[in-house]
Amino acid sequence: MEYKNGLDFIKKLDEYGDVKANWIVKVEEETNPNYGSFPWKREIKEHIRNGVINLDKPPGPTSHEVVAWIKRMLGLNKAGHGGTLEPHV
């Protein structure tokens, strides 16, 4: 899907999340591509390299094991976790 600008993208996220918000844009500026790009314009490899996986870890495997699985499934050299992945914590 192609969006005209960042506000269109935010409104689509609001719609998807059933959020009712009024947005006011004072100035719409161009973004220097050296400092980032809109998510819908990124290659899938960039999403994987810089992305976040929201994971609901089941009881049993340790956080370390789950990170190792993710690295193996996605062919990554580096991955980690923030916070805790342990149930009931």
Side-chain angles (χ1 to χ4, degrees), residues 18-74:
D18 198 27
V19 173
K20 309 289 189 267
N22 292 319
W23 293 93
I24 298 171
V25 177
K26 290 185 176 185
V27 178
E28 184 75 35
E29 295 286 342
E30 281 294 316
T31 299
N32 183 327
N34 293 328
Y35 298 105
S37 62
F38 289 117
W40 62 89
K41 292 186 177 180
R42 296 178 193 148
E43 296 289 329
I44 191 66
K45 287 183 178 187
E46 188 176 350
H47 282 287
I48 291 171
R49 187 177 67 245
N50 299 324
V52 174
I53 298 172
N54 187 9
L55 179 81
D56 185 8
K57 185 185 86 59
T62 67
S63 301
H64 181 77
E65 287 175 307
V66 173
V67 169
W69 296 342
I70 296 294
K71 286 171 59 176
R72 192 167 49 246
M73 284 189 288
L74 298 177

